[in-house]
Amino acid sequence: METIRRLINSIPTQMDYKGQKLAEQIFQGIIVVSAVIGFAYGYMIEQFGWTVYIVMAGFALSCLLTLPPWPMYRRNPLKWLPAQDSGTDDKKPSDKKSSKKHK
């Protein structure tokens, strides 16, 4: 049981921002292309059902390609700042500008 838990926890679950943009573009492209192909094919054979099947297949393909965090979506990881001490005595007072109301 512990081995399975470690295996599941080792699977990466994050995507960087550029990877999210790429996944969104791939998803939209596949949906649009499958909709155009589905509409054209359904119109040619006069069967709306085939249009729906082709669009559903495009949706399934796009989900398979974009939902898992494939390595191509994790090429630009964020560089986080190091953790800071949460001590309150070495904080500087904030430089807030006073907001004066104009008459």
Side-chain angles (χ1 to χ4, degrees):
M1 187 67 171
E2 185 63 30
T3 306
I4 294 172
R5 186 175 299 143
R6 273 188 270 137
L7 178 68
I8 290 173
N9 288 338
S10 70
I11 298 172
T13 58
Q14 73 280 0
M15 228 185 248
D16 58 51
Y17 290 118
K18 290 183 182 180
Q20 289 176 4
K21 182 179 179 182
L22 176 62
E24 180 70 23
Q25 290 172 340
I26 290 172
F27 177 78
Q28 289 178 355
I30 291 173
I31 294 295
V32 168
V33 168
S34 68
V36 169
I37 292 171
F39 178 77
Y41 185 71
Y43 185 79
M44 285 178 8
I45 65 168
E46 297 177 0
Q47 290 289 319
F48 182 71
W50 278 101
T51 301
V52 174
Y53 293 144
I54 292 172
V55 171
M56 286 174 34
F59 177 75
L61 176 65
S62 66
C63 285
L64 179 68
L65 291 176
T66 60
L67 287 180
W70 298 109
M72 64 183 176
Y73 302 133
R74 294 184 279 124
R75 290 184 181 161
N76 303 299
L78 292 175
K79 292 178 177 52
W80 294 95
L81 294 175
Q84 294 182 351
D85 216 7
S86 62
T88 57
D89 50 334
D90 54 328
K91 286 187 178 179
K92 295 180 181 177
S94 61
D95 295 331
K96 293 184 180 178
K97 292 183 179 179
S98 62
S99 59
K100 296 181 181 179
K101 294 184 180 178
H102 295 286
K103 292 183 181 182

XYZ file of all heavy atoms in Angstrom:
828
model
N 0.826 -1.189 0.000
C 0.000 0.000 0.000
C 0.874 1.258 0.000
O 0.560 2.215 -0.679
C -0.924 -0.047 1.215
C -1.928 1.038 1.248
S -3.075 0.818 -0.104
C -4.265 1.996 0.278
N 1.939 1.254 0.779
C 2.843 2.404 0.848
C 3.533 2.642 -0.494
O 3.763 3.780 -0.893
C 3.879 2.187 1.960
C 4.785 3.372 2.188
C 4.039 4.608 2.662
O 3.005 4.477 3.338
O 4.502 5.725 2.339
N 3.855 1.563 -1.190
C 4.504 1.684 -2.496
C 3.583 2.378 -3.492
O 4.026 3.239 -4.251
C 4.891 0.284 -3.030
O 5.662 -0.377 -2.043
C 5.671 0.398 -4.315
N 2.323 2.030 -3.457
C 1.356 2.658 -4.355
C 1.211 4.135 -4.017
O 1.155 4.985 -4.908
C -0.005 1.932 -4.271
C 0.138 0.518 -4.817
C -1.069 2.692 -5.045
C -1.083 -0.348 -4.596
N 1.170 4.467 -2.737
C 1.048 5.862 -2.321
C 2.257 6.667 -2.774
O 2.127 7.790 -3.261
C 0.901 5.947 -0.802
C 0.622 7.365 -0.336
C 0.350 7.457 1.141
N -0.830 6.646 1.444
C -0.979 5.925 2.557
N -0.025 5.914 3.464
N -2.066 5.231 2.772
N 3.466 6.104 -2.627
C 4.672 6.811 -3.076
C 4.667 6.990 -4.587
O 5.090 8.020 -5.094
C 5.929 6.064 -2.631
C 6.364 6.472 -1.234
C 7.705 5.881 -0.876
N 7.426 4.585 -0.240
C 8.089 3.476 -0.476
N 9.088 3.450 -1.305
N 7.763 2.366 0.143
N 4.194 5.976 -5.308
C 4.116 6.065 -6.763
C 3.153 7.165 -7.193
O 3.474 7.974 -8.075
C 3.676 4.725 -7.362
C 3.497 4.701 -8.878
C 4.841 4.856 -9.560
C 2.821 3.426 -9.302
N 2.006 7.231 -6.551
C 1.026 8.265 -6.887
C 1.555 9.646 -6.527
O 1.382 10.608 -7.279
C -0.315 7.973 -6.182
C -0.957 6.738 -6.817
C -1.261 9.163 -6.276
C -2.186 6.246 -6.109
N 2.217 9.787 -5.393
C 2.761 11.087 -4.984
C 3.933 11.525 -5.856
O 4.251 12.709 -5.898
C 3.184 11.051 -3.523
C 1.999 11.030 -2.595
O 0.903 11.426 -2.968
N 2.209 10.547 -1.387
N 4.575 10.609 -6.551
C 5.701 10.989 -7.402
C 5.257 11.510 -8.768
O 6.064 12.050 -9.507
C 6.640 9.793 -7.600
O 6.012 8.809 -8.407
N 3.983 11.350 -9.097
C 3.476 11.835 -10.378
C 3.345 13.356 -10.307
O 2.686 13.891 -9.414
C 2.113 11.200 -10.709
C 2.266 9.694 -10.844
C 1.534 11.795 -11.986
C 0.956 8.949 -10.969
N 3.963 14.092 -11.238
C 3.859 15.556 -11.201
C 2.436 16.001 -11.537
O 1.788 15.427 -12.406
C 4.859 16.021 -12.258
C 5.054 14.852 -13.148
C 4.803 13.621 -12.326
N 1.972 17.010 -10.843
C 0.607 17.491 -11.055
C 0.551 18.957 -11.452
O -0.532 19.502 -11.601
C -0.218 17.304 -9.777
O 0.415 18.008 -8.714
C -0.368 15.851 -9.419
N 1.674 19.617 -11.619
C 1.671 21.040 -11.906
C 2.011 21.302 -13.373
O 2.611 20.475 -14.038
C 2.653 21.786 -10.995
C 4.111 21.555 -11.329
C 4.676 20.257 -10.793
O 3.992 19.496 -10.148
N 5.922 19.991 -11.071
N 1.595 22.469 -13.813
C 1.878 22.940 -15.152
C 2.343 24.385 -15.007
O 1.805 25.109 -14.179
C 0.574 22.928 -15.964
C 0.637 22.297 -17.301
S -0.919 22.496 -18.168
C -1.477 20.834 -18.186
N 3.325 24.809 -15.799
C 3.723 26.206 -15.714
C 2.786 27.058 -16.572
O 1.923 26.547 -17.276
C 5.192 26.373 -16.125
C 5.468 25.883 -17.526
O 4.752 26.282 -18.449
O 6.406 25.088 -17.695
N 2.952 28.384 -16.495
C 2.033 29.281 -17.197
C 2.122 29.140 -18.712
O 1.104 29.164 -19.399
C 2.278 30.732 -16.786
C 1.852 31.010 -15.369
C 2.762 31.408 -14.407
C 0.527 30.858 -14.991
C 2.359 31.645 -13.109
C 0.119 31.105 -13.696
C 1.041 31.503 -12.762
O 0.642 31.735 -11.480
N 3.319 28.985 -19.224
C 3.460 28.792 -20.671
C 2.871 27.451 -21.096
O 2.299 27.328 -22.174
C 4.927 28.898 -21.083
C 5.466 30.306 -20.974
C 6.897 30.398 -21.459
C 7.417 31.814 -21.295
N 8.794 31.946 -21.753
N 2.993 26.444 -20.249
C 2.387 25.151 -20.523
C 0.873 25.227 -20.520
O 0.208 24.581 -21.335
N 0.308 26.027 -19.623
C -1.140 26.213 -19.602
C -1.619 26.889 -20.882
O -2.646 26.518 -21.454
C -1.551 27.049 -18.394
C -1.403 26.328 -17.088
C -1.724 27.219 -15.909
O -2.133 28.372 -16.064
N -1.531 26.700 -14.713
N -0.847 27.865 -21.340
C -1.206 28.554 -22.584
C -1.133 27.587 -23.767
O -2.032 27.574 -24.616
C -0.268 29.742 -22.802
C -0.593 30.548 -24.028
C 0.341 31.737 -24.184
C -0.002 32.505 -25.440
N 0.901 33.631 -25.655
N -0.080 26.774 -23.807
C 0.052 25.795 -24.884
C -1.079 24.776 -24.845
O -1.669 24.444 -25.885
C 1.403 25.082 -24.778
C 1.670 23.965 -25.778
C 1.673 24.505 -27.206
C 2.983 23.273 -25.459
N -1.431 24.293 -23.664
C -2.527 23.332 -23.527
C -3.847 23.945 -23.992
O -4.639 23.284 -24.679
C -2.639 22.859 -22.078
N -4.077 25.196 -23.645
C -5.303 25.876 -24.075
C -5.345 26.029 -25.597
O -6.387 25.811 -26.219
C -5.399 27.245 -23.403
C -6.629 28.032 -23.778
C -7.906 27.453 -23.205
O -7.844 26.729 -22.208
O -8.979 27.734 -23.772
N -4.221 26.384 -26.208
C -4.175 26.528 -27.661
C -4.397 25.185 -28.356
O -5.117 25.112 -29.363
C -2.846 27.136 -28.094
C -2.701 28.591 -27.707
C -1.305 29.132 -27.964
O -0.347 28.383 -28.089
N -1.191 30.451 -28.026
N -3.790 24.124 -27.840
C -3.977 22.794 -28.425
C -5.435 22.370 -28.293
O -6.042 21.873 -29.241
C -3.030 21.774 -27.756
C -1.586 22.051 -28.166
C -3.418 20.350 -28.120
C -0.564 21.232 -27.404
N -6.008 22.574 -27.111
C -7.407 22.216 -26.872
C -8.332 22.940 -27.845
O -9.172 22.313 -28.507
C -7.771 22.551 -25.425
C -9.206 22.300 -25.083
C -9.646 21.023 -24.829
C -10.108 23.343 -25.006
C -10.972 20.773 -24.498
C -11.428 23.105 -24.681
C -11.860 21.823 -24.431
N -8.180 24.258 -27.951
C -9.042 25.028 -28.836
C -8.847 24.643 -30.299
O -9.819 24.543 -31.055
C -8.793 26.519 -28.651
C -9.310 27.046 -27.339
C -9.025 28.523 -27.134
O -8.356 29.168 -27.941
N -9.531 29.070 -26.034
N -7.607 24.411 -30.698
C -7.336 24.022 -32.076
C -7.987 22.701 -32.437
O -8.610 22.565 -33.504
N -7.856 21.711 -31.564
C -8.447 20.394 -31.838
C -9.968 20.488 -31.881
O -10.612 19.890 -32.757
C -7.978 19.362 -30.804
C -6.491 19.060 -31.007
C -8.789 18.072 -30.908
C -5.889 18.175 -29.940
N -10.564 21.243 -30.977
C -12.019 21.381 -30.955
C -12.512 22.059 -32.230
O -13.484 21.611 -32.855
C -12.482 22.165 -29.704
C -12.190 21.373 -28.440
C -13.958 22.540 -29.785
C -12.957 20.087 -28.309
N -11.855 23.130 -32.654
C -12.282 23.841 -33.861
C -12.117 22.959 -35.095
O -13.024 22.863 -35.928
C -11.505 25.177 -34.012
C -11.710 25.785 -35.385
C -11.939 26.147 -32.935
N -10.969 22.298 -35.220
C -10.731 21.442 -36.392
C -11.729 20.292 -36.420
O -12.305 19.981 -37.483
C -9.268 20.925 -36.396
C -9.072 19.822 -37.409
C -8.316 22.080 -36.676
N -11.978 19.663 -35.274
C -12.934 18.548 -35.268
C -14.349 19.037 -35.558
O -15.127 18.324 -36.207
C -12.870 17.793 -33.940
O -13.357 18.585 -32.889
N -14.698 20.240 -35.111
C -16.029 20.779 -35.396
C -16.196 21.054 -36.887
O -17.244 20.731 -37.469
C -16.264 22.052 -34.590
N -15.171 21.622 -37.518
C -15.254 21.906 -38.962
C -15.330 20.600 -39.748
O -16.171 20.451 -40.648
C -14.054 22.773 -39.410
C -13.962 22.854 -40.918
C -14.152 24.163 -38.796
N -14.465 19.646 -39.421
C -14.481 18.351 -40.121
C -15.805 17.632 -39.873
O -16.412 17.091 -40.809
C -13.283 17.486 -39.688
C -11.985 18.093 -40.199
C -13.439 16.053 -40.181
C -10.736 17.435 -39.648
N -16.258 17.634 -38.636
C -17.521 16.980 -38.306
C -18.694 17.604 -39.029
O -19.568 16.896 -39.555
N -18.731 18.936 -39.076
C -19.826 19.604 -39.775
C -19.792 19.297 -41.268
O -20.830 18.983 -41.865
C -19.760 21.120 -39.551
C -20.830 21.869 -40.281
C -22.119 21.886 -39.793
C -20.546 22.540 -41.459
C -23.118 22.573 -40.464
C -21.534 23.226 -42.144
C -22.823 23.246 -41.644
N -18.608 19.387 -41.868
C -18.487 19.121 -43.307
C -18.874 17.679 -43.632
O -19.640 17.427 -44.581
C -17.063 19.414 -43.777
N -18.379 16.729 -42.852
C -18.687 15.319 -43.118
C -20.173 15.036 -42.877
O -20.822 14.355 -43.681
C -17.819 14.412 -42.250
C -17.999 12.949 -42.554
C -17.512 12.406 -43.736
C -18.677 12.118 -41.677
C -17.689 11.068 -44.028
C -18.851 10.776 -41.953
C -18.357 10.258 -43.135
O -18.540 8.933 -43.433
N -20.716 15.555 -41.787
C -22.132 15.361 -41.501
C -23.023 15.991 -42.547
O -24.067 15.444 -42.904
N -22.623 17.133 -43.063
C -23.389 17.796 -44.110
C -23.338 17.002 -45.413
O -24.347 16.882 -46.111
C -22.844 19.218 -44.333
C -23.634 20.039 -45.315
C -24.824 20.638 -44.926
C -23.197 20.218 -46.621
C -25.559 21.404 -45.812
C -23.914 20.967 -47.522
C -25.105 21.559 -47.113
O -25.833 22.299 -48.008
N -22.159 16.468 -45.727
C -22.010 15.708 -46.974
C -22.848 14.433 -46.957
O -23.472 14.095 -47.962
C -20.541 15.362 -47.226
C -19.732 16.537 -47.707
S -17.965 16.245 -47.992
C -17.707 14.539 -47.816
N -22.853 13.725 -45.839
C -23.614 12.465 -45.805
C -25.010 12.654 -45.218
O -25.766 11.693 -45.101
C -22.851 11.363 -45.035
C -22.697 11.734 -43.568
C -21.515 11.065 -45.678
C -22.235 10.593 -42.714
N -25.327 13.889 -44.842
C -26.638 14.262 -44.301
C -27.002 13.462 -43.050
O -28.120 12.994 -42.886
C -27.723 14.120 -45.378
C -27.500 15.036 -46.546
C -28.534 14.865 -47.652
O -29.440 14.024 -47.505
O -28.429 15.590 -48.640
N -26.025 13.326 -42.165
C -26.220 12.647 -40.883
C -25.619 13.502 -39.770
O -24.405 13.599 -39.630
C -25.539 11.271 -40.885
C -26.200 10.253 -41.759
C -27.529 9.807 -41.172
O -27.654 9.606 -39.972
N -28.514 9.660 -42.033
N -26.495 14.123 -38.971
C -26.020 14.969 -37.878
C -25.305 14.153 -36.813
O -24.406 14.647 -36.131
C -27.196 15.724 -37.255
C -26.789 16.647 -36.156
C -26.086 17.805 -36.427
C -27.091 16.358 -34.833
C -25.698 18.669 -35.415
C -26.708 17.201 -33.809
C -26.015 18.359 -34.107
N -25.666 12.910 -36.670
C -25.042 12.041 -35.673
C -23.539 11.925 -35.869
O -22.774 11.908 -34.900
N -23.094 11.844 -37.115
C -21.658 11.755 -37.382
C -20.934 13.040 -36.991
O -19.786 13.004 -36.545
C -21.398 11.419 -38.850
C -21.517 9.958 -39.087
C -22.573 9.288 -39.630
C -20.543 8.974 -38.738
N -22.326 7.945 -39.640
C -21.060 7.722 -39.100
C -19.292 9.016 -38.154
C -20.385 6.539 -38.904
C -18.613 7.840 -37.954
C -19.156 6.621 -38.319
N -21.610 14.163 -37.144
C -21.025 15.428 -36.698
C -20.763 15.372 -35.201
O -19.683 15.740 -34.730
C -21.976 16.596 -37.021
O -22.199 16.637 -38.426
C -21.406 17.919 -36.554
N -21.750 14.901 -34.456
C -21.605 14.809 -33.000
C -20.500 13.824 -32.632
O -19.686 14.100 -31.745
C -22.953 14.403 -32.359
C -22.787 14.157 -30.863
C -23.996 15.473 -32.608
N -20.447 12.666 -33.302
C -19.405 11.676 -33.006
C -18.007 12.233 -33.260
O -17.083 12.002 -32.465
C -19.605 10.412 -33.841
C -20.847 9.638 -33.499
C -21.561 8.997 -34.494
C -21.315 9.547 -32.198
C -22.711 8.272 -34.196
C -22.457 8.832 -31.894
C -23.146 8.199 -32.895
O -24.270 7.491 -32.596
N -17.839 12.952 -34.346
C -16.510 13.499 -34.679
C -16.113 14.574 -33.675
O -14.962 14.628 -33.222
C -16.491 14.014 -36.129
C -16.612 12.817 -37.091
C -15.225 14.815 -36.413
C -16.800 13.190 -38.545
N -17.054 15.424 -33.283
C -16.742 16.460 -32.287
C -16.430 15.813 -30.935
O -15.508 16.239 -30.229
C -17.899 17.479 -32.175
C -17.691 18.424 -31.004
C -18.027 18.267 -33.458
N -17.171 14.773 -30.577
C -16.888 14.075 -29.317
C -15.523 13.392 -29.355
O -14.796 13.388 -28.349
C -17.990 13.055 -29.015
C -19.269 13.706 -28.563
S -20.712 12.636 -28.339
C -20.062 11.117 -27.776
N -15.148 12.837 -30.501
C -13.816 12.232 -30.634
C -12.735 13.303 -30.520
O -11.694 13.081 -29.882
C -13.703 11.495 -31.962
N -12.963 14.468 -31.104
C -12.016 15.583 -30.968
C -11.895 16.041 -29.530
O -10.793 16.337 -29.047
N -13.016 16.067 -28.836
C -12.991 16.447 -27.420
C -12.196 15.432 -26.599
O -11.375 15.804 -25.757
C -14.420 16.575 -26.883
C -14.482 16.893 -25.430
C -14.200 18.171 -24.975
C -14.821 15.923 -24.506
C -14.257 18.476 -23.625
C -14.879 16.203 -23.161
C -14.598 17.485 -22.717
N -12.430 14.148 -26.854
C -11.704 13.103 -26.127
C -10.205 13.180 -26.413
O -9.379 13.058 -25.495
C -12.247 11.729 -26.507
N -9.843 13.408 -27.672
C -8.427 13.537 -28.034
C -7.806 14.752 -27.352
O -6.700 14.670 -26.807
C -8.275 13.646 -29.550
C -6.856 13.876 -30.059
C -5.973 12.669 -29.756
C -6.880 14.182 -31.547
N -8.519 15.872 -27.356
C -7.972 17.075 -26.722
C -7.827 16.891 -25.212
O -6.869 17.383 -24.618
C -8.831 18.293 -27.043
O -10.100 18.169 -26.462
N -8.759 16.180 -24.592
C -8.634 15.909 -23.154
C -7.424 15.030 -22.875
O -6.684 15.257 -21.915
C -9.901 15.241 -22.629
S -11.287 16.374 -22.456
N -7.215 14.036 -23.712
C -6.071 13.146 -23.542
C -4.750 13.900 -23.691
O -3.780 13.627 -22.984
C -6.132 12.002 -24.555
C -4.998 10.997 -24.519
C -5.056 10.190 -23.234
C -5.062 10.084 -25.723
N -4.712 14.871 -24.588
C -3.475 15.609 -24.841
C -3.240 16.766 -23.876
O -2.095 17.168 -23.676
C -3.463 16.149 -26.277
C -3.350 15.115 -27.383
C -3.455 15.779 -28.745
C -2.048 14.353 -27.263
N -4.297 17.321 -23.286
C -4.107 18.539 -22.497
C -4.356 18.402 -21.007
O -3.840 19.214 -20.240
C -5.010 19.668 -23.034
O -6.377 19.255 -22.944
C -4.668 20.008 -24.456
N -5.127 17.428 -20.563
C -5.400 17.333 -19.124
C -4.236 16.794 -18.305
O -3.921 17.364 -17.258
C -6.666 16.514 -18.879
C -7.965 17.216 -19.245
C -9.156 16.313 -18.968
C -8.117 18.520 -18.506
N -3.567 15.717 -18.714
C -2.412 15.288 -17.909
C -1.260 16.295 -18.047
O -1.087 16.908 -19.099
C -2.011 13.948 -18.531
C -3.164 13.512 -19.338
C -3.862 14.757 -19.773
N -0.497 16.483 -16.989
C 0.623 17.426 -17.070
C 1.828 16.791 -17.771
O 2.811 16.431 -17.144
C 0.916 17.748 -15.611
C 0.495 16.519 -14.887
C -0.675 15.963 -15.641
N 1.739 16.637 -19.071
C 2.832 16.050 -19.847
C 4.085 16.909 -19.695
O 3.999 18.108 -19.405
C 2.437 15.959 -21.313
C 1.253 15.081 -21.586
C 0.017 15.498 -21.969
C 1.172 13.656 -21.476
N -0.819 14.421 -22.109
C -0.139 13.279 -21.810
C 2.073 12.667 -21.120
C -0.563 11.956 -21.806
C 1.647 11.345 -21.118
C 0.359 11.007 -21.465
N 5.277 16.339 -19.923
C 6.521 17.114 -19.769
C 6.593 18.358 -20.656
O 7.235 19.329 -20.291
C 7.614 16.111 -20.147
C 7.017 14.782 -19.829
C 5.551 14.913 -20.126
N 5.910 18.361 -21.797
C 5.962 19.543 -22.668
C 5.255 20.738 -22.028
O 5.464 21.871 -22.442
C 5.344 19.240 -24.027
C 3.891 18.924 -24.018
S 3.372 18.504 -25.680
C 1.686 18.051 -25.397
N 4.443 20.514 -21.001
C 3.766 21.604 -20.302
C 4.520 22.046 -19.053
O 4.050 22.918 -18.340
C 2.351 21.177 -19.890
C 1.483 20.747 -21.030
C 0.735 19.577 -20.956
C 1.398 21.492 -22.197
C -0.069 19.180 -22.001
C 0.602 21.099 -23.241
C -0.134 19.941 -23.141
O -0.923 19.541 -24.173
N 5.665 21.445 -18.785
C 6.440 21.773 -17.570
C 7.861 22.199 -17.915
O 8.781 21.977 -17.151
C 6.468 20.558 -16.636
C 5.119 20.204 -16.093
C 5.169 19.064 -15.112
N 5.214 17.788 -15.835
C 6.152 16.876 -15.685
N 7.137 17.068 -14.854
N 6.112 15.765 -16.378
N 8.066 22.828 -19.043
C 9.420 23.214 -19.472
C 9.905 24.522 -18.875
O 11.093 24.799 -18.883
C 9.457 23.330 -20.998
C 9.348 22.011 -21.687
C 9.479 22.167 -23.166
N 9.359 20.874 -23.820
C 9.072 20.721 -25.087
N 8.883 21.768 -25.850
N 8.984 19.518 -25.604
N 9.015 25.364 -18.385
C 9.385 26.683 -17.870
C 8.904 26.855 -16.432
O 7.987 27.627 -16.160
C 8.758 27.783 -18.751
C 9.169 27.646 -20.193
O 10.347 27.719 -20.507
N 8.216 27.411 -21.067
N 9.531 26.165 -15.479
C 9.054 26.270 -14.092
C 9.320 27.666 -13.514
O 10.236 28.370 -13.930
C 9.875 25.208 -13.359
C 11.106 25.055 -14.168
C 10.694 25.304 -15.597
N 8.487 28.048 -12.576
C 8.659 29.334 -11.909
C 9.818 29.255 -10.932
O 10.031 28.227 -10.300
C 7.396 29.708 -11.148
C 6.178 30.034 -11.987
C 4.982 30.269 -11.072
C 6.425 31.241 -12.841
N 10.542 30.336 -10.811
C 11.619 30.419 -9.840
C 11.072 31.181 -8.629
O 10.872 32.379 -8.675
C 12.829 31.119 -10.441
C 13.483 30.288 -11.523
C 14.652 31.014 -12.141
C 15.361 30.181 -13.165
N 14.541 29.608 -14.198
N 10.824 30.442 -7.558
C 10.241 31.036 -6.367
C 11.323 31.707 -5.526
O 12.473 31.297 -5.526
C 9.549 29.964 -5.533
C 8.367 29.379 -6.225
C 8.340 28.248 -6.975
C 7.050 29.897 -6.257
N 7.097 28.032 -7.465
C 6.277 29.028 -7.043
C 6.437 31.013 -5.703
C 4.928 29.241 -7.275
C 5.088 31.210 -5.930
C 4.352 30.339 -6.704
N 10.928 32.720 -4.784
C 11.833 33.356 -3.842
C 12.015 32.439 -2.643
O 11.130 31.668 -2.308
C 11.253 34.694 -3.379
C 11.134 35.778 -4.452
C 10.423 36.999 -3.867
C 12.500 36.161 -4.964
N 13.177 32.515 -1.995
C 13.364 31.681 -0.803
C 12.422 32.134 0.313
O 12.017 33.292 0.378
C 14.827 31.919 -0.430
C 15.206 33.182 -1.098
C 14.354 33.307 -2.312
N 12.094 31.214 1.208
C 11.201 31.524 2.326
C 11.870 32.530 3.248
O 13.076 32.472 3.489
C 10.868 30.257 3.080
N 11.088 33.464 3.763
C 11.608 34.478 4.667
C 11.152 34.181 6.081
O 10.127 33.552 6.301
C 11.123 35.861 4.248
C 11.683 36.298 2.906
C 11.220 37.697 2.539
O 10.371 38.265 3.184
N 11.798 38.242 1.489
N 11.928 34.684 7.017
C 11.584 34.531 8.423
C 10.329 35.340 8.713
O 10.147 36.435 8.193
C 12.746 35.038 9.274
C 12.936 34.212 10.526
O 12.259 33.183 10.646
O 13.773 34.605 11.348
N 9.453 34.838 9.555
C 8.199 35.539 9.834
C 8.282 36.391 11.097
O 7.270 36.704 11.702
C 7.061 34.532 9.962
O 7.313 33.670 11.041
N 9.488 36.762 11.498
C 9.676 37.604 12.682
C 9.067 38.977 12.475
O 9.159 39.564 11.409
N 8.452 39.540 13.533
C 7.779 40.825 13.401
C 8.656 41.998 13.813
O 8.370 43.128 13.467
C 6.504 40.848 14.265
O 6.869 40.578 15.618
C 5.516 39.827 13.770
N 9.732 41.774 14.574
C 10.534 42.868 15.090
C 11.469 43.478 14.046
O 11.931 44.599 14.213
C 11.334 42.440 16.327
C 12.091 41.144 16.095
O 11.645 40.346 15.251
O 13.122 40.942 16.770
N 11.750 42.823 12.941
C 12.657 43.392 11.952
C 11.914 43.884 10.707
O 12.527 44.159 9.699
C 13.758 42.396 11.569
C 13.190 41.062 11.101
O 12.128 40.679 11.606
O 13.838 40.428 10.250
N 10.583 44.052 10.814
C 9.825 44.581 9.681
C 9.945 46.097 9.661
O 9.935 46.759 10.690
C 8.351 44.197 9.771
C 8.092 42.760 9.443
C 6.598 42.514 9.402
C 6.318 41.085 9.012
N 4.870 40.824 8.999
N 10.030 46.648 8.475
C 10.101 48.097 8.323
C 8.679 48.638 8.195
O 7.808 47.974 7.651
C 10.893 48.455 7.068
C 12.339 48.046 7.143
C 13.062 48.427 5.880
C 14.507 47.994 5.935
N 15.219 48.280 4.706
N 8.465 49.843 8.665
C 7.128 50.425 8.486
C 6.867 50.650 7.001
O 7.756 51.024 6.241
C 7.178 51.743 9.263
C 8.620 52.026 9.471
C 9.358 50.714 9.392
N 5.654 50.429 6.611
C 5.328 50.567 5.192
C 5.282 52.032 4.798
O 4.931 52.903 5.587
C 4.004 49.890 4.893
O 2.982 50.503 5.652
N 5.665 52.283 3.571
C 5.688 53.642 3.041
C 4.364 53.905 2.326
O 4.294 53.854 1.100
C 6.855 53.823 2.067
C 8.201 53.689 2.749
O 8.269 54.008 3.945
O 9.166 53.274 2.081
N 3.362 54.157 3.111
C 2.056 54.440 2.515
C 1.933 55.943 2.311
O 2.265 56.724 3.188
C 0.924 53.955 3.420
C 0.860 52.458 3.543
C -0.336 52.057 4.370
C -0.418 50.555 4.494
N -1.536 50.136 5.323
N 1.438 56.317 1.157
C 1.217 57.731 0.897
C -0.100 58.124 1.558
O -1.076 57.381 1.508
C 1.129 57.985 -0.609
C 2.444 57.764 -1.311
C 2.319 58.085 -2.772
C 3.656 57.886 -3.478
N 3.566 58.163 -4.889
N -0.087 59.251 2.171
C -1.314 59.698 2.814
C -2.286 60.133 1.737
O -1.932 60.802 0.766
C -1.020 60.839 3.793
O -0.494 61.941 3.076
N -3.483 59.737 1.919
C -4.503 60.082 0.919
C -5.271 61.285 1.433
O -6.029 61.203 2.383
C -5.425 58.895 0.673
O -6.037 58.542 1.879
N -5.016 62.416 0.826
C -5.705 63.650 1.205
C -6.847 63.872 0.237
O -6.696 63.680 -0.981
C -4.754 64.837 1.153
C -3.630 64.736 2.164
C -2.742 65.951 2.063
C -1.591 65.847 3.046
N -0.694 66.983 2.958
N -7.936 64.258 0.799
C -9.086 64.557 -0.053
C -8.958 65.985 -0.553
O -8.671 66.892 0.198
C -10.386 64.371 0.729
C -10.635 62.937 1.119
C -11.963 62.805 1.804
C -12.177 61.360 2.175
N -13.439 61.176 2.882
N -9.203 66.135 -1.823
C -9.151 67.468 -2.425
C -10.540 68.077 -2.387
O -11.534 67.420 -2.663
C -8.660 67.374 -3.870
C -7.260 66.886 -3.977
N -6.187 67.663 -3.648
C -6.758 65.682 -4.365
C -5.073 66.961 -3.841
N -5.406 65.742 -4.270
N -10.552 69.343 -2.050
C -11.858 70.053 -1.987
C -12.081 70.878 -3.205
O -11.295 71.370 -3.864
C -11.920 70.927 -0.756
C -11.969 70.095 0.503
C -12.098 70.997 1.680
C -12.131 70.186 2.940
N -12.295 70.999 4.101
